[in-house]
Coordinates of all heavy atoms in Angstrom, one line a residue:
M18 N 17.8 -30.6 10.4 CA 17.1 -30.1 11.6 C 17.8 -28.9 12.1 O 19.1 -28.8 12.0 CB 17.0 -31.1 12.7 CG 15.7 -31.9 12.6 SD 15.3 -32.7 14.1 CE 15.8 -34.4 13.7
P19 N 17.1 -27.9 12.6 CA 17.8 -26.7 13.2 C 18.6 -27.0 14.4 O 18.3 -27.9 15.2 CB 16.7 -25.7 13.5 CG 15.4 -26.5 13.4 CD 15.7 -27.8 12.8
T20 N 19.7 -26.2 14.6 CA 20.5 -26.4 15.7 C 20.3 -25.1 16.6 O 20.3 -24.0 16.2 CB 22.0 -26.4 15.3 OG1 22.2 -27.4 14.3 CG2 22.9 -26.7 16.5
Y21 N 20.1 -25.4 17.9 CA 19.9 -24.3 18.9 C 21.1 -24.3 19.8 O 21.5 -25.3 20.3 CB 18.6 -24.6 19.7 CG 17.4 -24.7 18.8 CD1 17.0 -25.9 18.3 CD2 16.7 -23.6 18.4 CE1 15.9 -26.0 17.5 CE2 15.7 -23.6 17.5 CZ 15.2 -24.9 17.1 OH 14.1 -25.0 16.3
A22 N 21.6 -23.1 20.0 CA 22.8 -22.9 20.9 C 22.3 -22.3 22.2 O 21.5 -21.4 22.3 CB 23.8 -22.0 20.2
Y23 N 22.9 -22.9 23.3 CA 22.5 -22.4 24.6 C 23.8 -22.1 25.4 O 24.8 -22.7 25.2 CB 21.7 -23.5 25.3 CG 20.4 -23.8 24.8 CD1 20.2 -24.7 23.7 CD2 19.3 -23.0 25.2 CE1 18.9 -24.9 23.2 CE2 18.0 -23.3 24.7 CZ 17.8 -24.2 23.7 OH 16.6 -24.4 23.1
L24 N 23.6 -21.2 26.4 CA 24.6 -20.9 27.4 C 24.0 -21.1 28.7 O 23.0 -20.6 29.1 CB 25.1 -19.4 27.2 CG 26.1 -18.9 28.2 CD1 27.4 -19.6 28.1 CD2 26.2 -17.4 28.1
C25 N 24.7 -21.9 29.5 CA 24.3 -22.2 30.9 C 24.5 -21.0 31.8 O 25.7 -20.5 31.8 CB 25.0 -23.5 31.4 SG 24.5 -23.8 33.1
S26 N 23.5 -20.6 32.5 CA 23.7 -19.4 33.4 C 24.4 -19.9 34.7 O 24.9 -19.1 35.4 CB 22.3 -18.9 33.8 OG 21.5 -18.7 32.7
Q27 N 24.4 -21.2 34.9 CA 24.9 -21.7 36.2 C 26.4 -21.9 36.1 O 27.1 -21.4 37.0 CB 24.2 -23.1 36.5 CG 24.2 -23.5 37.9 CD 23.1 -22.7 38.7 OE1 23.4 -21.7 39.4 NE2 21.9 -23.1 38.5
C28 N 26.9 -22.6 35.1 CA 28.3 -22.9 35.0 C 29.0 -22.2 33.8 O 30.2 -22.3 33.6 CB 28.6 -24.4 34.9 SG 28.0 -25.2 33.4
G29 N 28.2 -21.6 32.9 CA 28.8 -20.9 31.8 C 29.1 -21.8 30.6 O 29.7 -21.3 29.6
H30 N 28.7 -23.0 30.7 CA 29.0 -24.0 29.6 C 28.1 -23.6 28.4 O 26.9 -23.4 28.5 CB 28.7 -25.4 30.1 CG 28.9 -26.5 29.1 ND1 30.2 -26.7 28.6 CD2 28.1 -27.4 28.5 CE1 30.1 -27.7 27.7 NE2 28.8 -28.1 27.7
E31 N 28.7 -23.6 27.2 CA 28.0 -23.4 26.0 C 27.8 -24.8 25.3 O 28.7 -25.6 25.2 CB 28.8 -22.5 25.0 CG 28.8 -21.1 25.5 CD 29.6 -20.2 24.5 OE1 29.2 -20.1 23.3 OE2 30.6 -19.7 24.9
F32 N 26.6 -25.0 24.8 CA 26.3 -26.3 24.1 C 25.2 -26.0 23.1 O 24.6 -25.0 23.0 CB 25.9 -27.3 25.1 CG 24.6 -27.0 25.9 CD1 23.4 -27.5 25.6 CD2 24.7 -26.1 27.0 CE1 22.3 -27.2 26.3 CE2 23.6 -25.8 27.8 CZ 22.3 -26.3 27.4
T33 N 25.1 -27.0 22.2 CA 24.1 -26.9 21.2 C 23.1 -28.1 21.2 O 23.5 -29.2 21.7 CB 24.7 -26.9 19.8 OG1 25.6 -28.0 19.6 CG2 25.5 -25.6 19.6
C34 N 21.9 -27.9 20.8 CA 20.9 -28.9 20.8 C 20.4 -29.0 19.3 O 20.0 -27.9 18.8 CB 19.7 -28.6 21.7 SG 20.1 -29.0 23.4
I35 N 20.3 -30.2 18.8 CA 19.7 -30.3 17.5 C 18.3 -31.0 17.7 O 18.2 -32.1 18.2 CB 20.6 -31.2 16.6 CG1 21.9 -30.5 16.4 CG2 19.9 -31.4 15.2 CD1 23.0 -31.4 15.7
M36 N 17.3 -30.3 17.3 CA 15.9 -30.8 17.5 C 15.0 -30.1 16.5 O 15.3 -29.0 16.0 CB 15.5 -30.7 18.9 CG 15.6 -29.3 19.5 SD 15.3 -29.2 21.3 CE 15.9 -27.6 21.7
S37 N 13.9 -30.8 16.3 CA 12.9 -30.2 15.5 C 12.2 -29.0 16.2 O 12.3 -28.9 17.4 CB 11.8 -31.2 15.1 OG 11.1 -31.6 16.2
F38 N 11.5 -28.2 15.4 CA 10.8 -27.0 16.0 C 9.8 -27.5 17.0 O 9.6 -26.8 18.0 CB 10.2 -26.2 14.9 CG 9.6 -24.9 15.4 CD1 10.4 -23.9 15.9 CD2 8.2 -24.7 15.4 CE1 9.9 -22.7 16.4 CE2 7.7 -23.5 15.8 CZ 8.5 -22.5 16.3
R39 N 9.1 -28.6 16.7 CA 8.1 -29.1 17.6 C 8.7 -29.5 19.0 O 8.2 -29.2 20.0 CB 7.4 -30.3 17.0 CG 5.9 -30.4 17.6 CD 5.4 -31.8 17.4 NE 5.6 -32.3 16.0 CZ 5.2 -33.4 15.5 NH1 4.6 -34.3 16.3 NH2 5.4 -33.8 14.3
E40 N 9.9 -30.2 18.9 CA 10.6 -30.6 20.1 C 11.1 -29.3 20.8 O 11.0 -29.2 22.0 CB 11.8 -31.4 19.7 CG 11.5 -32.8 19.4 CD 12.7 -33.6 18.9 OE1 13.4 -33.2 18.0 OE2 13.0 -34.6 19.6
Y41 N 11.6 -28.4 20.1 CA 12.1 -27.1 20.6 C 11.0 -26.4 21.5 O 11.3 -25.9 22.6 CB 12.6 -26.2 19.5 CG 12.8 -24.8 19.9 CD1 13.9 -24.5 20.7 CD2 12.0 -23.7 19.4 CE1 14.2 -23.2 21.1 CE2 12.3 -22.4 19.8 CZ 13.4 -22.2 20.7 OH 13.6 -20.9 21.0
K42 N 9.8 -26.4 21.0 CA 8.7 -25.7 21.7 C 8.3 -26.4 23.0 O 7.9 -25.8 24.0 CB 7.5 -25.6 20.8 CG 7.7 -24.6 19.7 CD 6.4 -24.3 19.0 CE 5.6 -23.2 19.8 NZ 4.4 -22.8 19.1
T43 N 8.5 -27.7 23.1 CA 8.1 -28.5 24.3 C 9.3 -29.0 25.1 O 9.1 -29.3 26.3 CB 7.3 -29.7 23.8 OG1 8.0 -30.5 22.9 CG2 6.0 -29.3 23.2
A44 N 10.5 -29.0 24.5 CA 11.6 -29.6 25.2 C 12.0 -28.8 26.4 O 12.0 -27.5 26.4 CB 12.8 -29.8 24.3
K45 N 12.4 -29.4 27.5 CA 13.0 -28.8 28.6 C 14.5 -29.0 28.5 O 15.1 -30.0 28.7 CB 12.5 -29.4 29.9 CG 13.0 -28.6 31.2 CD 12.0 -27.4 31.4 CE 12.6 -26.6 32.6 NZ 12.7 -25.2 32.2
V46 N 15.2 -27.9 28.1 CA 16.7 -28.0 27.8 C 17.4 -27.8 29.1 O 17.2 -26.8 29.9 CB 17.1 -26.9 26.8 CG1 18.6 -27.0 26.6 CG2 16.3 -27.1 25.5
T47 N 18.3 -28.7 29.4 CA 19.2 -28.6 30.6 C 20.6 -28.6 30.2 O 21.0 -29.2 29.2 CB 18.9 -29.7 31.6 OG1 19.0 -30.9 31.0 CG2 17.5 -29.5 32.2
C48 N 21.5 -28.1 31.0 CA 22.9 -28.1 30.7 C 23.5 -29.5 30.9 O 23.2 -30.2 31.9 CB 23.6 -27.2 31.8 SG 25.4 -27.2 31.6
P49 N 24.2 -30.0 29.8 CA 24.7 -31.3 29.9 C 25.9 -31.4 30.9 O 26.3 -32.5 31.3 CB 25.2 -31.6 28.5 CG 25.5 -30.2 27.9 CD 24.5 -29.3 28.6
Q50 N 26.4 -30.3 31.3 CA 27.5 -30.3 32.2 C 27.1 -30.3 33.7 O 27.6 -31.1 34.5 CB 28.5 -29.2 32.0 CG 29.8 -29.2 32.7 CD 30.8 -28.4 32.0 OE1 31.4 -28.8 31.0 NE2 31.0 -27.2 32.4
C51 N 26.2 -29.4 34.1 CA 25.8 -29.3 35.5 C 24.3 -29.7 35.7 O 23.8 -29.6 36.8 CB 26.1 -28.0 36.0 SG 25.1 -26.7 35.3
N52 N 23.7 -30.0 34.6 CA 22.3 -30.4 34.6 C 21.3 -29.3 35.1 O 20.2 -29.6 35.4 CB 22.1 -31.6 35.5 CG 21.3 -32.7 34.9 OD1 21.3 -32.9 33.7 ND2 20.6 -33.5 35.7
S53 N 21.7 -28.1 35.0 CA 20.9 -27.0 35.4 C 19.9 -26.6 34.3 O 20.2 -26.6 33.1 CB 21.8 -25.7 35.7 OG 21.0 -24.6 35.8
P54 N 18.7 -26.3 34.6 CA 17.7 -25.9 33.7 C 17.8 -24.4 33.3 O 17.1 -23.8 32.5 CB 16.3 -26.2 34.3 CG 16.6 -26.1 35.8 CD 18.1 -26.5 36.0
E55 N 18.7 -23.7 34.0 CA 19.0 -22.3 33.8 C 19.8 -22.0 32.6 O 21.0 -21.7 32.7 CB 19.6 -21.7 35.1 CG 19.0 -22.0 36.4 CD 18.0 -20.9 36.8 OE1 18.4 -19.7 36.7 OE2 16.8 -21.2 37.2
V56 N 19.3 -22.2 31.4 CA 20.0 -22.0 30.2 C 19.4 -20.9 29.4 O 18.2 -20.7 29.4 CB 20.1 -23.3 29.4 CG1 20.9 -24.4 30.1 CG2 18.8 -23.8 29.0
K57 N 20.3 -20.2 28.7 CA 19.8 -19.1 27.9 C 20.1 -19.4 26.4 O 21.2 -19.9 26.1 CB 20.6 -17.8 28.2 CG 19.9 -17.0 29.4 CD 20.6 -15.7 29.7 CE 21.9 -15.9 30.5 NZ 22.5 -14.6 30.9
Q58 N 19.2 -19.2 25.6 CA 19.4 -19.5 24.2 C 20.3 -18.4 23.5 O 20.1 -17.2 23.8 CB 18.1 -19.6 23.4 CG 18.4 -20.2 22.0 CD 17.1 -20.5 21.2 OE1 16.0 -20.2 21.7 NE2 17.3 -21.0 20.0
Q59 N 21.3 -18.8 22.7 CA 22.2 -17.9 22.1 C 21.8 -17.7 20.6 O 21.0 -18.4 20.1 CB 23.6 -18.6 22.1 CG 24.1 -18.9 23.5 CD 24.5 -17.6 24.2 OE1 23.7 -17.1 25.0 NE2 25.7 -17.1 24.0
M60 N 22.4 -16.7 20.1 CA 22.3 -16.5 18.6 C 22.9 -17.6 17.9 O 24.0 -18.1 18.3 CB 23.0 -15.2 18.2 CG 22.4 -13.9 18.9 SD 20.8 -13.5 18.3 CE 21.2 -12.8 16.7
T61 N 22.2 -18.1 16.9 CA 22.7 -19.3 16.2 C 23.4 -19.0 14.8 O 23.6 -19.9 14.1 CB 21.6 -20.3 16.0 OG1 20.5 -19.6 15.4 CG2 21.2 -20.9 17.3
S62 N 23.6 -17.7 14.6 CA 24.1 -17.3 13.3 C 25.5 -18.0 13.0 O 25.8 -18.3 11.9 CB 24.3 -15.8 13.2 OG 25.0 -15.3 14.2
F63 N 26.3 -18.2 14.0 CA 27.6 -18.8 13.8 C 27.5 -20.2 13.4 O 28.4 -20.8 12.8 CB 28.5 -18.6 15.1 CG 28.1 -19.5 16.2 CD1 28.8 -20.7 16.4 CD2 27.1 -19.2 17.1 CE1 28.4 -21.5 17.4 CE2 26.8 -20.0 18.2 CZ 27.4 -21.2 18.3
I64 N 26.4 -20.9 13.8 CA 26.3 -22.3 13.4 C 26.3 -22.5 11.9 O 26.9 -23.3 11.4 CB 24.9 -22.8 14.0 CG1 24.9 -22.7 15.5 CG2 24.7 -24.3 13.6 CD1 25.7 -23.7 16.3
S65 N 25.5 -21.6 11.2 CA 25.4 -21.7 9.8 C 26.8 -21.5 9.1 O 27.1 -22.0 8.1 CB 24.4 -20.8 9.2 OG 24.7 -19.4 9.6
K66 N 27.6 -20.7 9.8 CA 28.9 -20.4 9.3 C 29.8 -21.7 9.4 O 30.5 -22.1 8.4 CB 29.6 -19.3 10.0 CG 29.9 -18.0 9.2 CD 30.7 -17.0 9.9 CE 29.7 -16.1 10.8 NZ 30.4 -15.2 11.7
T67 N 29.8 -22.3 10.6 CA 30.7 -23.4 10.8 C 30.2 -24.7 10.1 O 31.0 -25.5 9.8 CB 30.9 -23.7 12.3 OG1 29.6 -23.8 12.9 CG2 31.7 -22.6 13.0
S68 N 28.9 -24.8 9.8 CA 28.4 -26.0 9.2 C 28.5 -26.0 7.7 O 28.2 -26.9 7.0 CB 27.0 -26.2 9.6 OG 26.1 -25.2 9.2
R69 N 28.9 -24.8 7.2 CA 29.0 -24.7 5.7 C 30.2 -25.5 5.2 O 31.3 -25.5 5.8 CB 29.2 -23.2 5.3 CG 29.1 -23.0 3.8 CD 29.7 -21.7 3.4 NE 28.9 -20.6 4.0 CZ 29.5 -19.4 4.3 NH1 30.8 -19.2 4.1 NH2 28.8 -18.4 4.8
K70 N 30.0 -26.3 4.2 CA 31.0 -27.2 3.7 C 31.7 -26.5 2.5 O 31.1 -25.9 1.7 CB 30.5 -28.5 3.2 CG 29.9 -29.3 4.4 CD 30.1 -30.8 4.2 CE 29.8 -31.5 5.5 NZ 28.4 -31.7 5.6
S71 N 33.0 -26.6 2.4 CA 33.7 -25.9 1.3 C 34.2 -26.9 0.3 O 34.4 -28.1 0.6 CB 34.9 -25.1 1.9 OG 35.7 -26.0 2.7
Ligands
ZN119 ZN1 25.8 -25.7 33.4

């Protein structure tokens, strides 16, 4: 499943969500730290880098 990276506008916390594209379209993403719905989606290119197994 794809991983989506978010940055909270409220507290600056960065977090990732793993969900299907269908969930992504309907899900209301909130910050796990301050519970704010004010989150911005980040570029996820670094995810593929870190998840690569050597
Ligand atoms: Zn937050």
Side-chain angles (χ1 to χ4, degrees):
M18 268 200 259
T20 307
Y21 302 94
Y23 292 90
L24 174 69
C25 176
S26 313
Q27 205 77 259
C28 71
H30 181 61
E31 285 180 66
F32 60 99
T33 53
C34 283
I35 299 168
M36 54 190 163
S37 69
F38 186 67
R39 207 199 311 179
E40 283 176 305
Y41 168 68
K42 290 192 81 177
T43 55
K45 188 82 187 126
V46 179
T47 54
C48 174
Q50 192 157 277
C51 70
N52 227 31
S53 168
E55 309 266 312
V56 296
K57 277 185 274 185
Q58 195 177 356
Q59 301 289 94
M60 299 290 284
T61 51
S62 53
F63 74 96
I64 300 285
S65 54
K66 243 185 279 170
T67 51
S68 64
R69 190 196 298 150
K70 298 216 167 77
S71 52

